[in-house]
């Protein structure tokens, strides 16, 4: 599991780590955005919360993610990115995994200075179709506004606008930060410095997984 504030690099590192370990990458935000792109009722509901920088209600989120990790795609294992984000979600996850005879192996807590988080999120660009992530300063798409991977439209997420970023930080502090202690008490937490380059953070995460 990758735990950390908005912009810590969970998506960037989660995809790379999952590929390296040969497991699935389960990102709750991506799942909601996929529903939104498909125009489902769930997608419309999730969007109304995401656009305000608030959390999608627990009863909706828990169902969506538990269904995903029960999918055959996750049979070899998975990296959770962005879930759980509340105590209720963490407890529901523990309960469901217990019933399935499974458990979370490791929680990697990526720590990044707030100033750096704002810089990262303020410059992030995302493909509306395949969710590929770019950054205006250090990794823009080759053709402006077009995704290198699928040719889709690349733009700024609604919740990456400055006032929404501040709201997401508030929500993180109030509702998600307490999970650090929750997993520390379970003896599963490892802290990783996320302030370095994408390569440096990737290396630190791989070392934490190996050690
Ligand atoms: P979600 O999509 O999960 O957003 P988030 O947690 O706020 O995380 P981000 O995607 O913003 O950041 P990240 O840590 O993945 O960073 P990234 O790698 O992209 O959730 C969005 C919304 O969905 C929530 O607000 C909520 O409404 C809803 N939701 C999702 N899960 C939920 C849940 N469990 N319960 C309820 N609601 C839920 O990197 C960011 C940028 O920085 C990129 O441009 C990247 O290129 C760059 N970057 C990354 N690493 C580095 C580095 N080391 N150096 C320089 N730049 C870097």
């Amino acid at each position: 599991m990758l735990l950390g504030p908005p912009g810590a690099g969970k998506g960037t590192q989660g995809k790379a780590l999952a590929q390296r370990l040969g497991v699935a990458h389960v990102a709750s935000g991506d799942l909601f955005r996929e529903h939104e792109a498909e125009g489902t009722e769930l997608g419309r509901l999730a969007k109304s919360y995401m656009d305000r920088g608030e959390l999608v209600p627990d009863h909706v989120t828990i169902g969506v993610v538990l269904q995903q990790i029960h999918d055959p795609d996750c049979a070899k294992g998975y990296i959770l990115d962005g879930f759980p984000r509340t105590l209720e979600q963490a407890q529901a996850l523990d309960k469901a995994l217990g019933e399935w005879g499974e458990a979370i192996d490791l929680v990697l807590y990526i720590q990044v200075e707030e100033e750096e988080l704002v810089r990262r999120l303020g410059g992030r660009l995302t493909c509306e179709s395949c969710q590929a992530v770019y950054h205006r300063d250090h990794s823009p798409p080759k053709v402006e506004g077009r995704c290198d991977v699928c040719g889709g439209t690349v733009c700024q997420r609604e919740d990456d606008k400055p006032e929404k970023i501040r709201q997401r930080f508030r929500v993180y502090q109030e509702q998600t930060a307490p999970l650090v202690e929750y997993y520390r008490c379970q003896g599963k937490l490892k802290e990783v410095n996320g302030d370095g380059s994408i390569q440096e953070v990737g290396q630190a995460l791989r070392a934490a997984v190996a050690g």
Side-chain angles (χ1 to χ4, degrees), residues 4-13 28-30 32-33 46 49-51 53-58 61 65 81-86 89 116 119-121 123-125 133-135 138-139 157 159-160 168 194-199 201:
K10 303 182 297 295
T12 304
Q13 301 295 346
S28 41
D30 288 352
F32 289 140
R33 282 185 290 276
Y49 290 92
M50 294 166 86
D51 283 354
E54 289 171 13
L55 295 185
V56 179
D58 283 338
T61 305
V65 178
D81 159 5
F83 180 92
R85 249 171 157 105
T86 65
Q89 291 178 17
E116 170 67 4
R119 198 185 64 74
R120 289 185 191 174
L121 292 176
R124 175 167 59 184
L125 300 168
V133 169
Y134 302 89
H135 195 280
H138 57 73
S139 49
R157 267 167 50 176
D159 61 349
D160 279 344
R168 284 160 66 203
D195 275 324
S197 67
I198 292 177
Q199 290 72 19
V201 178

Side-chain angles (χ1 to χ4, degrees), residues 31-201:
L31 290 174
F32 289 140
R33 282 185 290 276
E34 279 161 23
H35 273 277
E36 185 192 329
E38 287 162 13
T40 68
E41 200 174 320
L42 171 66
R44 279 192 290 278
L45 175 81
K47 181 175 162 51
S48 67
Y49 290 92
M50 294 166 86
D51 283 354
R52 294 199 301 269
E54 289 171 13
L55 295 185
V56 179
D58 283 338
H59 69 277
V60 176
T61 305
I62 290 167
V64 168
V65 178
L66 290 185
Q67 188 183 9
Q68 183 68 27
I69 61 181
H70 214 35
D71 191 272
D73 283 356
C74 289
K76 286 190 192 155
Y78 46 86
I79 292 184
L80 281 175
D81 159 5
F83 180 92
R85 249 171 157 105
T86 65
L87 202 53
E88 193 175 326
Q89 291 178 17
Q91 287 165 342
L93 177 65
D94 280 350
K95 184 166 175 283
L97 292 179
E99 284 167 7
W100 300 337
E102 298 171 11
I104 293 294
D105 298 314
L106 180 64
V107 179
L108 296 167
Y109 171 37
I110 310 178
Q111 287 177 294
V112 180
E113 294 291 332
E114 188 163 326
E115 218 173 281
E116 170 67 4
L117 294 172
V118 173
R119 198 185 64 74
R120 289 185 191 174
L121 292 176
R124 175 167 59 184
L125 300 168
T126 307
C127 173
E128 284 182 342
S129 305
C130 76
Q131 318 268 345
V133 169
Y134 302 89
H135 195 280
R136 270 196 199 105
D137 301 337
H138 57 73
S139 49
K142 291 190 186 92
V143 178
E144 197 181 330
R146 285 280 147 238
C147 179
D148 297 354
V149 182
C150 74
T153 305
V154 170
C155 57
Q156 185 179 48
R157 267 167 50 176
E158 179 60 32
D159 61 349
D160 279 344
K161 296 189 173 150
E163 68 283 6
K164 305 290 170 55
I165 294 176
R166 279 192 292 278
Q167 169 66 5
R168 284 160 66 203
F169 285 158
R170 269 197 295 277
V171 169
Y172 172 79
Q173 286 305 338
E174 284 167 18
Q175 303 196 53
T176 309
L179 296 185
V180 171
E181 277 317 301
Y182 179 83
Y183 287 111
R184 204 194 303 278
C185 288
Q186 291 191 0
K188 292 185 174 167
L189 194 86
K190 281 193 188 175
E191 296 181 31
V192 173
N193 179 0
D195 275 324
S197 67
I198 292 177
Q199 290 72 19
E200 286 167 339
V201 178

